[in-house]
Amino acid sequence: MRTSGVVLPPTPDPLAEARDAVMRQPVVNRELVQWVETVARLTQPAIVHWCTGTEEEAERICELMLRDGTLQKLDALLHPDSYYARSNVDDVSTVQDRTFICSLSEDDAGPSNNWMDPVFMRDLVSRQYNGCMQGRVMYVVPYLLGPPGSPAARVGVQVTDSPYVVANLRIMTRIGRVALEQLSDQTGFVKGIHSVGTLDPEQRFICHFPEEELILSVNTNYGSNALLSKKCHALRIASVQARREGWLAEHMMIVCVTSPDGVRTFMAGAFPSSCGKTNLAMLLPPDADLEAGWKVEVIGDDIAWMHFGEDGRLYAVNPEAGFFGVVPGTSRECNPTEMKTLESNAIFTNVAMTEERSVWWEGLDGDAPEFCADWTGQRWSPGCGRPAAHPDSRFTVPATNCPTLSAEWSNPSGVPISAIIFGGRRSTTMPLIYEAFNWQHGTYIGATLTSEKVADVAGTVGQLRFDPMAMLPFCGYHMADYWQHWLDMGRRVGATMPRVYHVNWFRKDWGDRFLWPGFRENMRVLKWIVDRVRGRGDADKTAIGMIPRPQSLSLSDFGWTKEFMYELLAVKTDEWYKEVDRREEFLSRFSAKLPQELLDENEALRKRIQNAHLRSRYAEH
Ligand code: GTP
Ligand code: SPV
Ligand code: MN
């Protein structure tokens, strides 16, 4: 019996091979075998390849892609074991308008999701799948989300005709044997089918069937449209499971902050896409803090699954095993740890490639190359008027590449979370940091999280968008039910919820410059949070929440003026009046199911701002 392999000629009966391959796996799950057979009958591949996750398998798959030009090898000295890839020019980001929640009831998807009838959608996508893998390989990729042996871990199986997806999934999750080992004949698993198809953006569909725990994706080969383990499974499907089972599946990074006395504080942080999770997770403390013994370590950079422990606290695991991070803006100056993480074993997609087979992007340290090939393959030179790297170009690297990866990252029990941090890009209104009064207030702060749009291809910069808990594109069910679930979690008997914070690294001065240096200096904010959760740290009670006194952030060593610190931490009532009105309008879009508590919080905030305004007027006279 020959082993399955991508370089071998087509077998006459791919299904027989699938059956044989799965019989050689440690556990046989009949449902899995039958499902794979059904998919193969529909898509008609020449070969069915069950991924085992070995080095040799990865090498063979990459070899195949080097030959057909999907991948290019980067210079072995500059970027050991790293590859360069380009996606189709109209397949470059996740696409909200092609993403569907196909729950049985439209009301379960809610106003912030695109809903489609599950029977209609399954039929439509199945027609796209019909014979779509003829003459090619169908890869079956069992993957594990979460640390092996963890009660929080879940299995998914993605069937795909894209070797590029297999190579990325292998970095992003634990694939092959380790996943099948967690799968007995009784355990359920999330099913995902993906085909590159024609890449026609008009026929692109990313569909989620929460009741069936099924994901269908077609005519795309980029990012989490195609790597179904990430947003489709670990957030959209998992958020539905989490609600049903009493846990949280969140778009959050996870870090461990160790203070000089050796105490570890675990924090989770939800920032909308491209707003700083990876950078905060890989934060290198300023030299003075390093010398004093402070340490920040990564547990996750994008997704957190949080379950109650026996002590009533929330314990987080990172379901992923790699980072799929934003490239532009990454530099040694801003984030040396992130740059070290990228040194080897990386796949870069949609950045620019230089003559010496190195990569380049906007924001990288040093000068731009005289010329290079841009993300579309065209000749590029500085000043030509186009970016060389696509604004959402990304890298894929194994988590173990990161020099500051915490030993706790694969702890099956997860880590106890003391603080949840929300933050978006706000040029006004939001102070550097504030603390919620309690869980309900924190839930309200998360539910009304906003961010200004960054420069993208559509070119609508600066527009303010609500992105509740950074989950707007990723919540697999009705947003108001999701807020209710957050409130219910806090009311569970014996629950000790984390404290909740809101940060803003992006407040600007009159000259449109960032007030705050950000990056390594964000450590000052993390240290204040550590102080607060340990019952210390000075704070003033304001209308919006608890705000640090400037001295408790030790800002004076910046040599900044009082006025400057005021700009950074001020709560300006005129700005907050507008904010409260915007929030009311946003919350009311979820009217029928909206928890009353959130409206109450908004009204209470309005009153506190009015009172603060009156007090300040009174003080003036
Ligand atoms: P997703 O992977 O899309 O979920 O994004 P993310 O939240 O992990 O964002 P990431 O850390 O990759 O940051 C995205 C962009 O924000 C990059 O261009 C960074 O340079 C920029 N950024 C991150 N942290 C800071 C900061 O503290 N200050 C400033 N000014 N920019 C920052
Ligand atoms: C995000 O957009 O939040 C990402 C990138 O992390 S992707 O996984 O493609 O959605
Ligand atoms: Mn993300």
Side-chain angles (χ1 to χ4, degrees), residues 265 435 499 501 528-538:
T265 306
E435 182 189 70
R499 291 214 199 185
Y501 297 83
W528 184 71
I529 295 176
V530 168
D531 278 346
R532 293 293 293 170
V533 300
R534 293 176 70 184
R536 307 186 299 237
D538 281 338

Side-chain angles (χ1 to χ4, degrees), residues 459-585:
T460 41
V461 187
Q463 196 187 328
L464 198 58
R465 287 198 304 196
F466 281 90
D467 190 348
M469 281 84 170
M471 283 287 278
L472 189 74
F474 307 123
C475 184
Y477 61 102
H478 197 299
M479 189 55 76
D481 287 334
Y482 168 70
W483 293 332
Q484 187 63 55
H485 178 52
W486 267 67
L487 294 170
D488 292 344
M489 290 286 284
R491 287 187 193 126
R492 207 179 106 131
V493 180
T496 307
M497 302 311 275
R499 291 214 199 185
V500 179
Y501 297 83
H502 186 286
V503 301
N504 178 22
W505 317 139
F506 301 94
R507 198 150 163 170
K508 287 183 171 171
D509 64 12
W510 293 110
D512 205 38
R513 285 172 306 230
F514 290 127
L515 279 161
W516 180 246
F519 299 103
R520 295 183 72 179
E521 297 300 340
N522 295 336
M523 187 64 194
R524 293 167 193 268
V525 170
L526 297 188
K527 280 164 70 182
W528 184 71
I529 295 176
V530 168
D531 278 346
R532 293 293 293 170
V533 300
R534 293 176 70 184
R536 307 186 299 237
D538 281 338
D540 287 322
K541 188 168 182 179
T542 75
I544 65 167
M546 306 301 288
I547 291 198
R549 308 225 172 95
Q551 64 268 28
S552 58
L553 289 176
S554 19
L555 295 181
S556 48
D557 58 320
F558 274 138
W560 285 355
T561 60
K562 267 211 177 90
E563 293 69 33
F564 210 67
M565 292 181 200
Y566 169 80
E567 283 300 322
L568 208 53
L569 292 169
V571 179
K572 300 182 180 175
T573 48
D574 53 337
E575 292 177 346
W576 276 92
Y577 278 137
K578 284 188 212 134
E579 185 75 16
V580 170
D581 285 343
R582 269 196 297 267
R583 289 177 177 187
E584 188 185 329
E585 194 275 318

